[in-house]
Amino acid sequence: MNTLLNSLTSESASLKNRGLKSVTQLLDSNESILDRKDIPILQTFFRCLSDNSSLVRDSALNLIGKCLLKRPGMDRNIYSRLIPRAGDSAASVRKRCIKLLKEIYLRNEDQDMRSSIAEALLQRMTDTEESVCELCRQTFEEIWFTPYIGLTSVQDLPAQKKVAFENHAVLVVKTAQRGNSASHTLESLVKSLLVSTAKNSAAMLNVCKELVATMVDAVIENSTNAGRPSPADYLQTLTVFAKARPKLFSAKQLEVMQPYIQNLQTNDDRPVFRAVLVIYRWVFPYLSSMQHDFLKAVHTALLENLSKLTKMDLDEAALCLWTIDSVIKNTTKLARMASSVLQQLHSLHNANLGEEPQNKMAQKVSRLLNIAGSFFHVCDFDEENGLFKERFPQWDGKSVATLVINVIRPYVASKQPLAIRDLSLETICKICRSWPKQYLRPDISNIVEGVFRSPDRRLQLTALSGIKELFVEEEKRSESGAEIAVGEGIVNGAERLGKSLQANENDGVATTIAQQLLQYILRIALASQDELATTAAQIVASVNRQGLVHPKETGVALVALETSPTHAIATIAFQEHRNLNLKHESVFDKEYVKAVYEAFLYQRDTVKNVRGATPQPHASKLRLTFEVLKLGNGKGRKKFLANMVSRINFDLNKLDISSDPPVHLMFARFSVENLAFFDYSRVDEILHLLDCMEKTVATTGTGIAHAIETDMQRVQLGSQSGENEIQVQNAAGPTNTSITDQRLRQLTVGSMILSLIWETRTFIRRLWGLQKQRDGKNKTSIKDLNKAPTKAQGVSGDRYWEKTSEIMASLDSREAMVEQCRAFAKLLSIDDEVKVASDDEEADLAKAAAGYETPSDDGNSNGSAPPSTGKGRKRKGSASLLATPSKPKKRGRPSVSKRKSGSAVAGDEDADWD
């Protein structure tokens, strides 16, 4: 047992993986090892859960699951340590953890434990991997709804049914109250389970109705039992079900909540008041019949409490009041109130609002703006224009929305305090959401563009939020027709056209806004990682979903945003990039080179990290982009990889080395580190990439190595007089030449870029088991090209990470630059590998990997041999040109035994990776 546990502390991932599987076999034959106190068995397993290798983490979860099956009593102490693995970077680990947490959930009745597990599973409902989302949805269906389907029709055991649903309601409430994200995800879950096309949707609907009824009864009972949620908690959870499916509620259930809407005396009453308000706001439009007396009582209570409501409550109250007025057919009272608010705002145009927080006049204007924004956004008072004409005789009486914006617009002026400007801009955006044509007014367009050109991020967020909500409404309008099945077009054709295809005066507004403002929105999305950037990214995604602009205009930005460390931004960009690529793959092929460079600039300027991968565990920053490419054809991926290598290549004479460090050098490292850690899907992709990298080093590197040998033979650093130059002596004579700092830096930067490519090439060969085989065994053949590659055991990226860091440090001093140039010249001069296959075989394999049907007949090897100017021989340096010329060598492949010792026994460059 000690031997097996020691293997779990090894640095080799394969050894740890085999050790975990061996412990699993031992546990099957002798479970008493779990009871030993002298060996820290479980602690060793837990350490493996955070291992860099996903295989080790997966095996550790499997082993811990078997331990828990043997000792279920350990669930309480262990489940909290398993929950973080539900968010593991590897999808396979996440799936295994979800299944393990489900087993723990079903074995235990503790509400707190179940609530914690349910919250962890809810978080995975928004996973980027669709299979993980589907697994979570199925898990919730099996643990939250399926066990209660039979109870909905039980009549003989009402007490048992009541207790079961009461306990389950408590669990649902505790889970929903664990944060806003939990409640939002729960809403999405309920919607997905109740959609008409879902399996057992009718049965799920009955379960949800029972849960709603149980929670309403709990609110009325107002029990003070320990461990029971408060009425506010029950009501807040009911808002989730009201948003997901309003028809779950009955008119009678709404009536019993009426006392809570009439009681708003203190701040303690506000959570209950707001929850009931939200429920009414969502359910009222879907109830076919309600008593007018009840509606009038709610109407009166809301108007009486209007002065006490916050901005968020005002929005809900306005919706409730307008819905009630549409039922009782009386909007005059609301119209009088709204026109009075507008008149007061007009009278305060010249008031001194000041910057003082206690300015009473500013507080009054803010209050009036909040009311105006909420009610004029929801209510259409055009039929009551007579009331507004009485208060504004100069108005033409055509559109109330135009009048409202004319009154509010002066408060956006730059002379006003920032808080008033922000609130008035928000109010204008709210009104424009309901009347989008107002966005096309020249004065409003100038205001919005001025906000985006200004440096004020607060105003920018307000403007972006308004545009985002407008685009969301447009998407809902265009997608609403999809609710009617295509096959039912004969019956519901008119309704389908009326919902989604019927023209209106607002058509084209979203397109105009996107075309005018997209440049500003993209700039904001790429400039930060906060809420402002997230909102901008959401708008970019909406623009693409609606097809408002050409995909090329946003594709580059989406690739850059996929590399964001902010999960929300990366997820938005990935999902939209994936959808666009499926529709316009050929268009995106031409944009990826530009997109990769844009991603580099995004990482450099915004994220402030120019590395191409993340450490511990190593993961490519462009991994989501490559996942999208894997959905297309293989030719597209090969073209992408070849273009990345081509983009790294350079002309030494045109290489810009002015910045510190040079931009192209940073971009080269960003690119090669991404290439090193991509998850490739086929062997031919890797071989094609390796061939491109080796050709690049061979062609570009030859000239650089020649320049190094010419200018830097027998380098002598400095001179005793302290001159700021390097003295070099030609190997063939005593003539001294000098190399300037600029020339030395230029050669060093060029050699560093090619060294990064070569180190990456070497690492990729070892990582995927494609290094040269001296004995000819396990050699890759053409028939293996279409197979999925397999990573070699025991190869991690730590050593590669260190090597690239060492190369990037070559500009730190003169000595480091000279050493880097020498090392690169040696790499290009000496063949560190012994060839096994003939040049023709290597060329055939490279050509086949690139997609050619027939190999080249030129006889030159462009395969994976190290770059050199000859076929495995030492390249002639500039000094050798002055020596006695040697006899011409015979054609043909020289014998290994007759090679020069430097070429035959020089250390394998892969030795550093052992």
Side-chain angles (χ1 to χ4, degrees):
M1 191 64 196
N2 281 324
T3 303
L4 290 176
L5 293 180
N6 288 335
S7 69
L8 303 185
T9 60
S10 170
E11 295 183 359
S12 171
S14 59
L15 185 58
K16 284 185 283 189
N17 189 42
R18 289 197 297 267
L20 288 168
K21 293 181 178 179
S22 299
V23 174
T24 303
Q25 295 175 356
L26 180 61
L27 182 64
D28 290 336
S29 60
N30 183 12
E31 63 183 60
S32 63
I33 60 175
L34 295 174
D35 302 323
R36 295 184 61 174
K37 304 297 183 182
D38 57 328
I39 301 178
I41 297 177
L42 290 177
Q43 288 74 8
T44 305
F45 298 163
F46 289 138
R47 283 197 296 269
C48 293
L49 287 178
S50 57
D51 192 84
N52 292 336
S53 171
S54 60
L55 289 175
V56 174
R57 299 195 300 273
D58 188 68
S59 297
L61 275 177
N62 181 50
L63 179 54
I64 292 173
K66 288 186 176 295
C67 293
L68 294 179
L69 285 176
K70 304 289 185 181
R71 297 289 187 273
M74 296 190 298
D75 286 347
R76 177 177 295 276
N77 299 325
I78 290 179
Y79 83 95
S80 59
R81 305 185 69 170
L82 300 178
I83 286 178
R85 287 303 101 203
D88 194 273
S89 59
S92 59
V93 178
R94 297 199 296 272
K95 291 179 182 179
R96 186 178 293 276
C97 185
I98 290 171
K99 295 176 182 178
L100 182 54
L101 289 174
K102 173 187 173 183
E103 295 173 0
I104 297 175
Y105 179 99
L106 295 175
R107 284 199 300 263
N108 295 271
E109 299 292 336
D110 183 82
Q111 293 278 33
D112 292 332
M113 182 187 300
R114 286 189 162 190
S115 178
S116 298
I117 293 175
E119 181 197 12
L121 298 181
L122 277 177
Q123 293 177 358
R124 304 276 38 98
M125 285 289 297
T126 58
D127 197 278
T128 55
E129 182 70 29
E130 293 183 2
S131 59
V132 176
C133 297
E134 180 61 22
L135 178 61
C136 286
R137 195 198 68 79
Q138 292 177 355
T139 300
F140 271 109
E141 181 178 346
E142 293 172 3
I143 65 177
W144 268 19
F145 296 94
T146 302
Y148 299 91
I149 291 177
L151 290 176
T152 58
S153 58
V154 170
Q155 302 295 333
D156 299 336
L157 301 172
Q160 181 182 351
K161 174 182 176 181
K162 180 180 179 181
V163 171
F165 274 100
E166 283 180 351
N167 291 335
H168 191 42
V170 170
L171 173 63
V172 173
V173 171
K174 285 186 174 181
T175 304
Q177 295 305 308
R178 285 181 170 268
N180 290 332
S181 60
S183 60
H184 290 320
T185 312
L186 179 59
E187 178 187 339
S188 301
L189 172 65
V190 175
K191 285 181 179 179
S192 66
L193 292 174
L194 297 183
V195 68
S196 58
T197 56
K199 183 180 179 181
N200 296 328
S201 59
M204 298 295 173
L205 183 65
N206 292 332
V207 173
C208 289
K209 284 184 177 180
E210 289 290 345
L211 278 174
V212 168
T214 302
M215 285 188 274
V216 172
D217 292 342
V219 171
I220 298 173
E221 293 175 5
N222 194 11
S223 175
T224 58
N225 294 338
R228 292 283 177 174
S230 65
D233 293 337
Y234 277 111
L235 286 169
Q236 288 172 4
T237 306
L238 283 170
T239 62
V240 174
F241 288 87
K243 294 176 183 178
R245 181 59 71 89
K247 292 184 179 180
L248 292 173
F249 293 78
S250 65
K252 184 177 180 180
Q253 290 170 343
L254 298 184
E255 291 177 7
V256 299
M257 299 180 191
Q258 179 183 343
Y260 295 102
I261 207 74
Q262 295 175 325
N263 183 23
L264 185 57
Q265 303 298 327
T266 64
N267 287 333
D268 294 338
D269 302 326
R270 194 171 298 279
V272 174
F273 179 90
R274 180 182 296 119
V276 175
L277 189 61
V278 172
I279 295 172
Y280 282 0
R281 167 256 192 274
W282 283 98
V283 179
F284 274 174
Y286 291 90
L287 290 181
S288 56
S289 62
M290 289 183 292
Q291 295 184 3
H292 280 212
D293 293 340
F294 164 64
L295 294 177
K296 289 179 180 179
V298 174
H299 192 280
T300 302
L302 290 178
L303 285 179
E304 290 177 351
N305 292 310
L306 202 61
S307 60
K308 304 176 184 178
L309 301 183
T310 63
K311 182 168 66 174
M312 185 182 302
D313 296 337
L314 280 171
D315 292 339
E316 306 295 343
L319 285 164
C320 282
L321 289 170
W322 185 249
T323 302
I324 293 172
D325 282 359
S326 64
V327 174
I328 63 179
K329 307 298 181 182
N330 183 8
T331 60
T332 304
K333 188 178 293 187
L334 275 184
R336 286 200 184 99
M337 182 273 296
S339 61
S340 174
V341 169
L342 204 60
Q343 186 180 36
Q344 294 181 65
L345 283 171
H346 185 267
S347 65
L348 295 173
H349 277 173
N350 298 322
N352 181 18
L353 304 182
E355 292 287 354
E356 298 82 5
Q358 300 301 324
N359 190 311
K360 293 184 178 180
M361 196 63 68
Q363 292 178 355
K364 180 179 180 180
V365 170
S366 298
R367 185 68 186 168
L368 293 172
L369 286 172
N370 283 329
I371 295 175
S374 298
F375 282 89
F376 287 109
H377 165 57
V378 173
C379 308
D380 183 1
F381 293 120
D382 284 348
E383 295 183 359
E384 302 285 350
N385 57 4
L387 293 174
F388 291 88
K389 187 69 174 177
E390 292 176 3
R391 297 180 185 269
F392 299 92
Q394 73 281 8
W395 174 51
D396 60 9
K398 293 182 179 180
S399 171
V400 175
T402 301
L403 173 64
V404 175
I405 291 181
N406 289 339
V407 172
I408 297 175
R409 186 186 57 196
Y411 291 103
V412 190
S414 57
K415 67 179 182 179
Q416 301 291 356
L418 179 60
I420 297 297
R421 294 180 64 196
D422 181 57
L423 187 55
S424 57
L425 179 62
E426 180 183 354
T427 303
I428 290 176
C429 289
K430 276 187 175 181
I431 297 169
C432 289
R433 278 168 50 193
S434 299
W435 286 269
K437 199 173 181 180
Q438 299 295 327
Y439 263 122
L440 303 184
R441 290 174 43 166
D443 54 345
I444 300 303
S445 298
N446 291 336
I447 289 174
V448 176
E449 284 197 41
V451 167
F452 287 136
R453 287 194 296 266
S454 72
D456 195 298
R457 296 171 60 81
R458 179 176 176 181
L459 294 178
Q460 289 177 357
L461 179 59
T462 300
L464 285 177
S465 300
I467 294 173
K468 184 190 76 172
E469 295 300 327
L470 172 65
F471 283 2
V472 169
E473 294 296 329
E474 287 298 305
E475 285 190 77
K476 288 181 180 178
R477 186 173 72 89
S478 63
E479 294 175 357
S480 59
E483 297 173 1
I484 303 172
V486 177
E488 300 175 2
I490 297 177
V491 180
N492 300 309
E495 182 182 357
R496 185 181 181 90
L497 288 171
K499 281 190 173 185
S500 62
L501 299 178
Q502 192 173 46
N504 61 56
E505 63 178 5
N506 298 323
D507 288 342
V509 175
T511 303
T512 303
I513 293 174
Q515 293 174 349
Q516 290 179 350
L517 303 178
L518 184 61
Q519 56 177 326
Y520 303 110
I521 296 171
L522 289 175
R523 175 178 56 80
I524 293 172
L526 294 169
S528 65
Q529 300 289 305
D530 53 9
E531 182 184 2
L532 183 63
T534 304
T535 305
Q538 291 170 338
I539 295 176
V540 173
S542 180
V543 166
N544 280 285
R545 285 194 295 269
Q546 298 180 69
L548 302 180
V549 298
H550 193 280
K552 291 174 62 175
E553 297 187 39
T554 57
V556 172
L558 289 175
V559 172
L561 292 174
E562 282 177 334
T563 67
S564 172
T566 302
H567 177 72
I569 296 177
T571 302
I572 293 169
F574 169 68
Q575 292 175 345
E576 195 52 43
H577 179 202
R578 179 179 58 189
N579 294 336
L580 283 181
N581 190 75
L582 292 175
K583 300 175 184 177
H584 311 286
E585 184 178 1
S586 59
V587 175
F588 269 81
D589 279 348
K590 303 176 182 179
E591 299 296 316
Y592 277 123
V593 174
K594 181 180 178 182
V596 171
Y597 192 76
E598 185 67 29
F600 160 70
L601 296 179
Y602 177 69
Q603 289 290 317
R604 184 194 66 179
D605 301 334
T606 303
V607 183
K608 308 298 182 184
N609 186 342
V610 294
R611 299 301 295 257
T614 56
Q616 306 304 326
H618 298 290
S620 166
K621 289 184 178 179
L622 288 169
R623 61 187 178 278
L624 294 180
T625 301
F626 200 71
E627 289 300 317
V628 172
L629 286 169
K630 288 162 69 173
L631 299 175
N633 58 59
K635 290 183 179 179
R637 292 192 296 276
K638 292 179 185 178
K639 183 178 179 182
F640 171 76
L641 297 172
N643 287 340
M644 280 192 69
V645 177
S646 176
R647 183 64 177 80
I648 302 171
N649 203 357
F650 58 92
D651 183 345
L652 183 63
N653 295 326
K654 298 179 182 179
L655 185 61
D656 182 10
I657 58 173
S658 56
S659 59
D660 188 22
V663 174
H664 193 72
L665 176 61
M666 292 189 293
F667 172 69
R669 180 174 67 171
F670 174 81
S671 299
V672 297
E673 288 180 347
N674 274 289
L675 293 172
F677 296 107
F678 277 152
D679 187 15
Y680 298 97
S681 57
R682 290 185 14 163
V683 173
D684 60 343
E685 297 171 5
I686 306 177
L687 291 179
H688 181 57
L689 170 63
L690 294 173
D691 184 56
C692 293
M693 298 173 83
E694 288 163 355
K695 286 179 179 178
T696 299
V697 177
T699 54
T700 306
T702 300
I704 295 178
H706 179 77
I708 292 173
E709 291 181 353
T710 301
D711 298 342
M712 298 183 58
Q713 283 288 0
R714 300 182 180 178
V715 179
Q716 298 175 353
L717 289 177
S719 63
Q720 294 182 357
S721 60
E723 295 176 354
N724 188 26
E725 59 184 14
I726 296 179
Q727 300 294 330
V728 296
Q729 184 176 10
N730 192 290
T735 304
N736 288 335
T737 61
S738 61
I739 180 170
T740 63
D741 290 345
Q742 185 76 1
R743 179 61 172 171
L744 176 61
R745 182 178 175 85
Q746 186 182 54
L747 293 174
T748 304
V749 172
S751 67
M752 290 170 66
I753 294 174
L754 297 178
S755 296
L756 287 170
I757 297 177
W758 191 252
E759 288 294 338
T760 304
R761 165 262 182 201
T762 304
F763 171 70
I764 292 175
R765 280 196 177 277
R766 288 191 57 80
L767 179 64
W768 297 98
L770 298 174
Q771 66 270 29
K772 296 294 186 64
Q773 302 292 336
R774 288 190 174 91
D775 56 3
K777 294 180 180 179
N778 301 322
K779 184 177 62 175
T780 304
S781 60
I782 292 180
K783 66 180 181 180
D784 297 325
L785 297 181
N786 294 332
K787 294 181 179 179
T790 304
K791 289 185 178 180
Q793 296 293 337
V795 179
S796 67
D798 296 337
R799 178 58 179 157
Y800 169 75
W801 197 261
E802 295 173 3
K803 292 285 286 185
T804 55
S805 300
E806 291 173 4
I807 294 173
M808 292 299 295
S810 299
L811 293 175
D812 292 349
S813 65
R814 281 174 126 56
E815 292 84 356
M817 287 192 284
V818 173
E819 183 60 32
Q820 167 62 30
C821 290
R822 282 175 169 169
F824 182 74
K826 180 180 178 182
L827 173 66
L828 267 289
S829 299
I830 300 176
D831 183 349
D832 286 329
E833 287 181 343
V834 178
K835 290 190 174 182
V836 177
S838 68
D839 292 336
D840 289 339
E841 290 175 344
E842 293 292 343
D844 290 348
L845 194 60
K847 292 294 183 181
Y852 294 99
E853 294 182 358
T854 58
S856 173
D857 57 356
D858 57 5
N860 293 327
S861 173
N862 289 326
S864 56
S868 62
T869 56
K871 297 182 179 180
R873 63 180 183 269
K874 183 173 182 179
R875 188 171 59 82
K876 295 179 180 180
S878 59
S880 64
L881 297 177
L882 301 177
T884 303
S886 59
K887 296 181 179 179
K889 293 186 177 181
K890 296 180 180 180
R891 297 181 60 86
R893 181 170 178 263
S895 172
V896 173
S897 62
K898 294 182 181 180
R899 291 188 179 186
K900 294 184 179 182
S901 59
S903 174
V905 289
D908 186 352
E909 85 278 11
D910 291 343
D912 290 337
W913 307 96
D914 291 337

